[in-house]
Amino acid sequence: MKEVPQHIGLTMDGNRRWAREHGVEVKKGHEEGARRIEPLVDYAARQGIKYLTFYAFSTENFGRQEDEKSAIFQVFDMMLRDAVVERMMENKVRVNVIGDIDRFPRMIAGSVKKLVKRSAKNDTITANFALNYGGRQEMVQAVKKALSAGEEISEGTISRHLYTAGQPDPELLVRPGGERRLSNFLTWQSVYSELYFVDTLWPDFTPQEFAKALDWYEARQRRFGK
Ligand code: IPE
Ligand code: MG
């Protein structure tokens, strides 16, 4: 029996390099990147994976130039109106957000929240989207919430106030795009995660590429075998 992780984190990296390599505008790179999401969710659901977390926009990404941010937001807006949303609803995908989405343009934040609500009872797989997410920021807000609830600070109370409360920690983090670092992604949750890095740029990260990461993970697991 193939052992599949319950939760996998995916860092979406390499969109601009992909655009440059293909001689197209940066926005097209972000669009192609966004189009990889739904096939991966579908594939993961078929494998029995219960949670996928996509690192789509970090707190640090807010420091990018206005025109690039606006291109990224246009891509988000387009995807929220795209047929993929209905496909995910039909496939009973629960959409969830981790991060402080209220700093996003109001239209986008509103549509995302609506989709989160609308898909709340879906139960095939949960797709978490990390939007204006940072691992340190997540921990700080968790501690603040615990304190204001009058709770004592412990691993348990912090975990319960993270955006991922109630979800298993990711057994595997996958980072396409060639960089070998975590970049503030799932900082608290990743302490025991297996880390898979691959040079393939995110817009080329297909379910076939994902399958290679799962095979690699399975081999890692075997090395831990008793
Ligand atoms: C990831 O691709 C998308 C976001 C961070 C929003 P990049 O935009 O980081 O593309 P590269 O890494 O510069 O190629
Ligand atoms: Mg990058």
Side-chain angles (χ1 to χ4, degrees):
M1 253 283 278
K2 215 171 165 170
E3 192 181 326
V4 292
Q6 279 195 286
H7 184 176
I8 302 177
L10 294 147
T11 295
M12 302 168 69
D13 191 29
N15 292 352
R16 294 183 294 193
R17 277 166 285 160
W18 187 92
R20 213 177 304 130
E21 283 178 14
H22 287 75
V24 295
E25 55 175 351
V26 167
K27 186 178 170 188
K28 179 72 180 158
H30 290 307
E31 180 184 339
E32 280 306 307
R35 294 210 177 276
R36 295 293 82 76
I37 293 170
E38 196 271 335
L40 290 170
V41 173
D42 187 53
Y43 179 78
R46 287 171 203 276
Q47 301 302 309
I49 294 158
K50 298 310 282 180
Y51 299 87
L52 277 191
T53 300
F54 292 92
Y55 200 10
F57 197 91
S58 67
T59 47
E60 290 76 19
N61 288 152
F62 261 106
R64 290 197 181 182
Q65 293 192 337
E66 288 306 323
D67 56 341
E68 198 200 335
K69 278 189 286 181
S70 129
I72 293 173
F73 294 144
Q74 281 170 32
V75 168
F76 287 167
D77 186 52
M78 184 186 68
M79 293 311 293
L80 283 160
R81 297 163 198 270
D82 195 271
V84 294
V85 171
E86 293 315 311
R87 207 142 66 223
M88 291 212 279
M89 285 302 293
E90 277 163 28
N91 292 333
K92 298 268 174 289
V93 177
R94 181 164 79 100
V95 174
N96 186 46
V97 170
I98 66 171
D100 178 15
I101 197 181
D102 288 323
R103 258 193 81 191
F104 270 44
R106 201 180 314 177
M107 279 272 291
I108 293 173
S111 318
V112 171
K113 283 180 189 168
K114 235 182 248 165
L115 181 57
V116 169
K117 242 190 207 158
R118 197 177 150 214
S119 67
K121 292 207 167 69
N122 289 349
D123 57 4
T124 317
I125 186 169
T126 296
N128 292 316
F129 290 93
L131 297 171
N132 190 22
Y133 173 87
R136 289 184 174 179
Q137 182 270 345
E138 178 184 37
M139 284 190 224
V140 169
Q141 66 84 38
V143 170
K144 281 185 180 164
K145 275 190 194 153
L147 287 176
S148 70
E151 296 167 3
E152 236 173 79
I153 300 303
S154 69
E155 291 191 15
T157 51
I158 292 175
S159 293
R160 280 192 289 280
H161 289 290
L162 296 175
Y163 297 122
T164 55
Q167 303 187 7
D169 287 340
E171 296 95 325
L172 173 63
L173 294 185
V174 174
R175 179 164 190 163
E179 308 290 0
R180 279 144 178 82
R181 55 176 174 258
L182 296 181
S183 302
N184 210 5
F185 186 40
L186 299 177
T187 308
W188 177 276
Q189 299 90 331
S190 65
V191 288
Y192 286 111
S193 304
E194 301 288 341
L195 307 176
Y196 179 86
F197 298 102
V198 61
D199 290 337
T200 310
L201 302 177
W202 176 260
D204 290 326
F205 195 75
T206 56
Q208 288 95 301
E209 293 292 320
F210 191 31
K212 289 184 204 165
L214 294 177
D215 287 345
W216 175 88
Y217 173 79
E218 198 195 356
R220 298 283 316 158
Q221 288 306 96
R222 267 202 299 263
R223 244 178 278 161
F224 285 116
K226 286 175 192 148

